[in-house]
Short mmCIF file of all heavy atoms in Angstrom, two decimals:
data_model
loop_
_atom_site.label_atom_id
_atom_site.label_comp_id
_atom_site.label_asym_id
_atom_site.label_seq_id
_atom_site.Cartn_x
_atom_site.Cartn_y
_atom_site.Cartn_z
N ARG N 44 -25.64 15.01 2.40
CA ARG N 44 -26.42 14.02 3.12
C ARG N 44 -27.03 13.02 2.14
O ARG N 44 -27.62 13.41 1.14
CB ARG N 44 -27.53 14.71 3.91
CG ARG N 44 -28.38 13.77 4.74
CD ARG N 44 -29.40 14.53 5.56
NE ARG N 44 -30.43 15.14 4.74
CZ ARG N 44 -31.37 15.96 5.19
NH1 ARG N 44 -31.36 16.30 6.47
NH2 ARG N 44 -32.27 16.46 4.40
N ALA N 46 -28.71 10.00 3.55
CA ALA N 46 -29.87 9.40 4.22
C ALA N 46 -31.10 10.24 3.89
O ALA N 46 -31.10 11.45 4.10
CB ALA N 46 -29.64 9.37 5.73
N SER N 47 -32.14 9.62 3.35
CA SER N 47 -33.28 10.41 2.88
C SER N 47 -34.64 9.81 3.23
O SER N 47 -35.65 10.50 3.17
CB SER N 47 -33.20 10.57 1.35
OG SER N 47 -33.19 9.30 0.72
N LYS N 48 -34.69 8.54 3.60
CA LYS N 48 -35.97 7.89 3.89
C LYS N 48 -36.31 8.04 5.37
O LYS N 48 -35.44 8.27 6.20
CB LYS N 48 -35.90 6.41 3.53
CG LYS N 48 -35.60 6.14 2.07
CD LYS N 48 -35.48 4.64 1.83
CE LYS N 48 -35.14 4.33 0.38
NZ LYS N 48 -34.96 2.88 0.16
N PRO N 49 -37.61 7.90 5.72
CA PRO N 49 -37.97 7.95 7.15
C PRO N 49 -37.22 6.92 7.99
O PRO N 49 -36.96 7.16 9.16
CB PRO N 49 -39.48 7.67 7.13
CG PRO N 49 -39.94 8.15 5.79
CD PRO N 49 -38.80 7.82 4.85
N GLY N 50 -36.86 5.79 7.38
CA GLY N 50 -36.16 4.73 8.10
C GLY N 50 -34.65 4.82 8.00
O GLY N 50 -33.95 3.81 8.15
N GLU N 51 -34.12 6.03 7.79
CA GLU N 51 -32.67 6.25 7.70
C GLU N 51 -32.29 7.52 8.44
O GLU N 51 -33.11 8.41 8.63
CB GLU N 51 -32.23 6.39 6.23
CG GLU N 51 -32.46 5.18 5.36
CD GLU N 51 -32.12 5.43 3.90
OE1 GLU N 51 -31.97 6.61 3.50
OE2 GLU N 51 -32.01 4.45 3.16
N GLY N 52 -31.05 7.60 8.84
CA GLY N 52 -30.52 8.85 9.36
C GLY N 52 -30.47 8.94 10.87
O GLY N 52 -30.24 7.97 11.57
N VAL N 53 -30.69 10.15 11.38
CA VAL N 53 -30.58 10.46 12.81
C VAL N 53 -31.83 11.22 13.24
O VAL N 53 -32.19 12.23 12.62
CB VAL N 53 -29.33 11.31 13.10
CG1 VAL N 53 -29.26 11.66 14.59
CG2 VAL N 53 -28.06 10.59 12.67
N TYR N 54 -32.48 10.74 14.30
CA TYR N 54 -33.70 11.38 14.80
C TYR N 54 -33.41 12.19 16.07
O TYR N 54 -32.47 11.91 16.80
CB TYR N 54 -34.77 10.34 15.09
CG TYR N 54 -35.64 10.00 13.90
CD1 TYR N 54 -35.13 9.28 12.83
CD2 TYR N 54 -36.97 10.38 13.85
CE1 TYR N 54 -35.91 8.96 11.74
CE2 TYR N 54 -37.78 10.07 12.76
CZ TYR N 54 -37.24 9.36 11.71
OH TYR N 54 -38.04 9.04 10.63
N TYR N 55 -34.29 13.17 16.28
CA TYR N 55 -34.20 14.06 17.43
C TYR N 55 -35.49 13.93 18.22
O TYR N 55 -36.58 14.15 17.69
CB TYR N 55 -34.02 15.49 16.94
CG TYR N 55 -33.62 16.52 17.95
CD1 TYR N 55 -32.29 16.67 18.35
CD2 TYR N 55 -34.57 17.40 18.49
CE1 TYR N 55 -31.92 17.66 19.26
CE2 TYR N 55 -34.20 18.39 19.40
CZ TYR N 55 -32.87 18.51 19.78
OH TYR N 55 -32.51 19.49 20.68
N SER N 56 -35.39 13.54 19.48
CA SER N 56 -36.56 13.36 20.35
C SER N 56 -36.88 14.69 21.00
O SER N 56 -36.04 15.27 21.70
CB SER N 56 -36.25 12.29 21.40
OG SER N 56 -37.29 12.23 22.35
N LEU N 80 -36.73 25.25 13.57
CA LEU N 80 -36.43 24.12 12.68
C LEU N 80 -35.06 24.26 12.02
O LEU N 80 -34.36 23.26 11.81
CB LEU N 80 -37.50 23.96 11.61
CG LEU N 80 -38.80 23.26 12.02
CD1 LEU N 80 -39.75 23.18 10.84
CD2 LEU N 80 -38.52 21.86 12.57
N LEU N 83 -32.36 22.58 13.77
CA LEU N 83 -32.31 21.13 13.62
C LEU N 83 -31.80 20.73 12.24
O LEU N 83 -30.91 19.88 12.12
CB LEU N 83 -33.69 20.54 13.88
CG LEU N 83 -34.25 20.77 15.28
CD1 LEU N 83 -35.68 20.26 15.38
CD2 LEU N 83 -33.37 20.10 16.33
N ASN N 84 -32.38 21.31 11.20
CA ASN N 84 -31.91 21.09 9.84
C ASN N 84 -32.52 22.18 8.96
O ASN N 84 -33.74 22.27 8.85
CB ASN N 84 -32.30 19.71 9.32
CG ASN N 84 -31.58 19.34 8.03
OD1 ASN N 84 -31.35 20.19 7.18
ND2 ASN N 84 -31.24 18.08 7.89
N ILE N 96 -29.94 16.80 11.78
CA ILE N 96 -30.76 15.60 11.96
C ILE N 96 -31.68 15.40 10.75
O ILE N 96 -31.94 16.35 9.99
CB ILE N 96 -31.58 15.66 13.26
CG1 ILE N 96 -32.45 16.93 13.31
CG2 ILE N 96 -30.66 15.63 14.47
CD1 ILE N 96 -33.83 16.80 12.75
N THR N 97 -32.16 14.18 10.57
CA THR N 97 -33.03 13.88 9.42
C THR N 97 -34.45 13.55 9.83
O THR N 97 -35.32 13.40 8.98
CB THR N 97 -32.47 12.70 8.62
OG1 THR N 97 -32.44 11.54 9.46
CG2 THR N 97 -31.07 12.99 8.12
N GLY N 98 -34.70 13.41 11.14
CA GLY N 98 -36.04 13.08 11.60
C GLY N 98 -36.30 13.62 12.99
O GLY N 98 -35.37 13.89 13.75
N ILE N 99 -37.58 13.80 13.30
CA ILE N 99 -38.01 14.25 14.62
C ILE N 99 -39.03 13.27 15.18
O ILE N 99 -39.95 12.85 14.47
CB ILE N 99 -38.65 15.65 14.56
CG1 ILE N 99 -37.66 16.70 14.09
CG2 ILE N 99 -39.21 16.05 15.92
CD1 ILE N 99 -38.30 18.06 13.85
N TRP N 100 -38.86 12.90 16.44
CA TRP N 100 -39.90 12.20 17.18
C TRP N 100 -40.50 13.20 18.15
O TRP N 100 -39.82 13.70 19.03
CB TRP N 100 -39.32 10.98 17.89
CG TRP N 100 -40.07 10.53 19.13
CD1 TRP N 100 -41.40 10.66 19.38
CD2 TRP N 100 -39.52 9.88 20.29
NE1 TRP N 100 -41.72 10.14 20.61
CE2 TRP N 100 -40.58 9.66 21.19
CE3 TRP N 100 -38.23 9.48 20.63
CZ2 TRP N 100 -40.39 9.04 22.43
CZ3 TRP N 100 -38.04 8.86 21.86
CH2 TRP N 100 -39.11 8.64 22.74
N LEU N 101 -41.78 13.51 17.95
CA LEU N 101 -42.49 14.41 18.84
C LEU N 101 -43.12 13.62 19.97
O LEU N 101 -43.95 12.73 19.73
CB LEU N 101 -43.58 15.17 18.06
CG LEU N 101 -43.13 16.12 16.96
CD1 LEU N 101 -44.33 16.69 16.23
CD2 LEU N 101 -42.26 17.24 17.52
N LEU N 134 -46.27 22.93 10.51
CA LEU N 134 -45.03 22.32 10.99
C LEU N 134 -44.61 21.17 10.08
O LEU N 134 -43.44 21.07 9.69
CB LEU N 134 -45.21 21.83 12.42
CG LEU N 134 -44.09 20.94 12.99
CD1 LEU N 134 -42.77 21.71 13.06
CD2 LEU N 134 -44.48 20.40 14.35
N LEU N 135 -45.55 20.29 9.75
CA LEU N 135 -45.23 19.17 8.87
C LEU N 135 -44.72 19.66 7.51
O LEU N 135 -43.75 19.12 6.97
CB LEU N 135 -46.45 18.27 8.68
CG LEU N 135 -46.93 17.48 9.90
CD1 LEU N 135 -48.21 16.71 9.55
CD2 LEU N 135 -45.85 16.51 10.37
N GLU N 137 -43.26 22.52 6.81
CA GLU N 137 -41.93 23.09 6.94
C GLU N 137 -40.86 22.01 7.14
O GLU N 137 -39.72 22.16 6.66
CB GLU N 137 -41.90 24.07 8.13
CG GLU N 137 -42.73 25.34 7.92
CD GLU N 137 -42.20 26.17 6.76
OE1 GLU N 137 -40.97 26.23 6.57
OE2 GLU N 137 -43.02 26.77 6.03
N CYS N 138 -41.22 20.93 7.81
CA CYS N 138 -40.27 19.82 7.96
C CYS N 138 -40.00 19.17 6.61
O CYS N 138 -38.84 18.84 6.29
CB CYS N 138 -40.83 18.79 8.94
SG CYS N 138 -40.73 19.29 10.68
N LYS N 139 -41.03 18.99 5.80
CA LYS N 139 -40.85 18.38 4.49
C LYS N 139 -39.91 19.22 3.62
O LYS N 139 -39.09 18.69 2.88
CB LYS N 139 -42.21 18.22 3.78
CG LYS N 139 -43.19 17.31 4.49
CD LYS N 139 -42.67 15.92 4.71
CE LYS N 139 -43.70 15.05 5.44
NZ LYS N 139 -43.15 13.74 5.85
N LYS N 140 -40.03 20.54 3.72
CA LYS N 140 -39.15 21.42 2.94
C LYS N 140 -37.68 21.18 3.27
O LYS N 140 -36.81 21.35 2.42
CB LYS N 140 -39.48 22.89 3.23
CG LYS N 140 -40.80 23.39 2.67
CD LYS N 140 -40.99 24.85 3.05
CE LYS N 140 -42.33 25.39 2.59
NZ LYS N 140 -42.53 26.81 3.01
N ARG N 141 -37.44 20.79 4.51
CA ARG N 141 -36.06 20.63 4.98
C ARG N 141 -35.59 19.18 4.93
O ARG N 141 -34.48 18.87 5.36
CB ARG N 141 -35.95 21.16 6.42
CG ARG N 141 -36.17 22.65 6.54
CD ARG N 141 -36.47 23.05 7.97
NE ARG N 141 -36.53 24.50 8.16
CZ ARG N 141 -37.57 25.25 7.83
NH1 ARG N 141 -38.66 24.69 7.31
NH2 ARG N 141 -37.54 26.56 8.03
N GLY N 142 -36.45 18.28 4.45
CA GLY N 142 -36.08 16.87 4.39
C GLY N 142 -36.10 16.19 5.75
O GLY N 142 -35.38 15.21 5.97
N ILE N 143 -36.93 16.70 6.67
CA ILE N 143 -37.05 16.14 8.01
C ILE N 143 -38.28 15.25 8.09
O ILE N 143 -39.40 15.72 7.85
CB ILE N 143 -37.15 17.25 9.08
CG1 ILE N 143 -35.93 18.17 9.04
CG2 ILE N 143 -37.32 16.65 10.46
CD1 ILE N 143 -36.05 19.38 9.96
N SER N 144 -38.10 13.99 8.42
CA SER N 144 -39.23 13.09 8.67
C SER N 144 -39.79 13.37 10.06
O SER N 144 -39.05 13.78 10.96
CB SER N 144 -38.79 11.63 8.57
OG SER N 144 -38.25 11.34 7.29
N VAL N 145 -41.07 13.11 10.25
CA VAL N 145 -41.71 13.35 11.55
C VAL N 145 -42.48 12.11 11.98
O VAL N 145 -43.33 11.61 11.23
CB VAL N 145 -42.68 14.55 11.49
CG1 VAL N 145 -43.39 14.73 12.84
CG2 VAL N 145 -41.94 15.82 11.11
N ILE N 146 -42.17 11.60 13.17
CA ILE N 146 -42.98 10.55 13.77
C ILE N 146 -43.56 11.10 15.07
O ILE N 146 -42.95 11.94 15.73
CB ILE N 146 -42.20 9.25 14.02
CG1 ILE N 146 -41.09 9.44 15.05
CG2 ILE N 146 -41.61 8.72 12.71
CD1 ILE N 146 -40.37 8.14 15.43
N ILE N 147 -44.76 10.64 15.42
CA ILE N 147 -45.42 11.15 16.62
C ILE N 147 -45.64 10.02 17.61
O ILE N 147 -45.77 8.85 17.23
CB ILE N 147 -46.75 11.85 16.29
CG1 ILE N 147 -47.74 10.89 15.63
CG2 ILE N 147 -46.50 13.07 15.42
CD1 ILE N 147 -49.13 11.50 15.41
N GLY N 263 -49.63 13.70 7.04
CA GLY N 263 -48.25 13.83 6.56
C GLY N 263 -47.18 13.31 7.50
O GLY N 263 -45.99 13.45 7.21
N VAL N 264 -47.59 12.70 8.65
CA VAL N 264 -46.55 12.14 9.51
C VAL N 264 -45.97 10.91 8.83
O VAL N 264 -46.60 10.26 8.00
CB VAL N 264 -47.09 11.78 10.92
CG1 VAL N 264 -47.75 12.99 11.56
CG2 VAL N 264 -48.03 10.60 10.89
N ASP N 265 -44.74 10.56 9.21
CA ASP N 265 -44.01 9.48 8.55
C ASP N 265 -44.01 8.18 9.35
O ASP N 265 -43.47 7.17 8.89
CB ASP N 265 -42.56 9.91 8.31
CG ASP N 265 -42.49 11.07 7.34
OD1 ASP N 265 -42.71 10.85 6.14
OD2 ASP N 265 -42.23 12.21 7.78
N GLY N 266 -44.63 8.19 10.53
CA GLY N 266 -44.69 6.99 11.33
C GLY N 266 -44.97 7.33 12.78
O GLY N 266 -45.39 8.44 13.11
N PHE N 267 -44.71 6.35 13.65
CA PHE N 267 -45.10 6.50 15.05
C PHE N 267 -44.04 5.91 15.97
O PHE N 267 -43.34 4.97 15.62
CB PHE N 267 -46.44 5.81 15.30
CG PHE N 267 -47.54 6.28 14.41
CD1 PHE N 267 -47.82 5.63 13.21
CD2 PHE N 267 -48.27 7.41 14.72
CE1 PHE N 267 -48.82 6.07 12.35
CE2 PHE N 267 -49.27 7.88 13.88
CZ PHE N 267 -49.54 7.21 12.70
N LYS N 306 -48.58 3.26 3.88
CA LYS N 306 -47.39 4.06 3.54
C LYS N 306 -46.19 3.12 3.51
O LYS N 306 -45.63 2.79 4.56
CB LYS N 306 -47.19 5.17 4.58
CG LYS N 306 -45.99 6.08 4.31
CD LYS N 306 -45.90 7.17 5.36
CE LYS N 306 -44.62 8.00 5.22
NZ LYS N 306 -44.50 8.66 3.92
N ASP N 308 -43.08 3.30 2.98
CA ASP N 308 -41.81 3.68 3.61
C ASP N 308 -42.01 4.18 5.04
O ASP N 308 -41.15 4.89 5.59
CB ASP N 308 -41.08 4.73 2.78
CG ASP N 308 -41.82 6.06 2.72
OD1 ASP N 308 -43.02 6.09 3.07
OD2 ASP N 308 -41.21 7.07 2.32
N VAL N 309 -43.12 3.81 5.67
CA VAL N 309 -43.40 4.24 7.03
C VAL N 309 -42.27 3.77 7.96
O VAL N 309 -41.67 2.71 7.76
CB VAL N 309 -44.76 3.67 7.52
CG1 VAL N 309 -44.69 2.17 7.68
CG2 VAL N 309 -45.22 4.35 8.80
N TYR N 310 -41.97 4.59 8.97
CA TYR N 310 -41.01 4.17 9.99
C TYR N 310 -41.65 4.31 11.37
O TYR N 310 -42.09 5.40 11.75
CB TYR N 310 -39.73 5.00 9.96
CG TYR N 310 -38.82 4.67 11.13
CD1 TYR N 310 -38.22 3.41 11.22
CD2 TYR N 310 -38.60 5.57 12.17
CE1 TYR N 310 -37.41 3.08 12.30
CE2 TYR N 310 -37.79 5.24 13.24
CZ TYR N 310 -37.21 3.99 13.30
OH TYR N 310 -36.42 3.65 14.38
N ILE N 424 -30.89 3.67 13.59
CA ILE N 424 -31.28 5.07 13.66
C ILE N 424 -31.08 5.57 15.08
O ILE N 424 -31.86 5.25 15.98
CB ILE N 424 -32.75 5.25 13.27
CG1 ILE N 424 -32.97 4.81 11.81
CG2 ILE N 424 -33.19 6.70 13.46
CD1 ILE N 424 -34.41 4.86 11.37
N PHE N 426 -31.26 8.06 18.24
CA PHE N 426 -32.18 9.09 18.70
C PHE N 426 -31.47 9.98 19.71
O PHE N 426 -30.94 9.50 20.72
CB PHE N 426 -33.42 8.46 19.34
CG PHE N 426 -34.45 7.98 18.35
CD1 PHE N 426 -34.23 6.82 17.62
CD2 PHE N 426 -35.61 8.70 18.13
CE1 PHE N 426 -35.17 6.36 16.71
CE2 PHE N 426 -36.55 8.27 17.21
CZ PHE N 426 -36.34 7.09 16.49
#
Side-chain angles (χ1 to χ4, degrees):
R44 182 176 69 186
S47 59
K48 299 177 182 177
E51 297 175 346
V53 178
Y54 272 70
Y55 192 81
S56 172
L80 280 180
L83 298 174
N84 192 324
I96 55 91
T97 62
I99 297 173
W100 154 30
L101 296 175
L134 169 63
L135 292 176
E137 292 297 324
C138 284
K139 298 302 179 188
K140 289 180 184 178
R141 294 162 173 79
I143 301 173
S144 301
V145 177
I146 65 174
I147 61 174
V264 305
D265 295 287
F267 304 93
K306 181 178 173 59
D308 66 345
V309 68
Y310 173 67
I424 298 176
F426 280 75

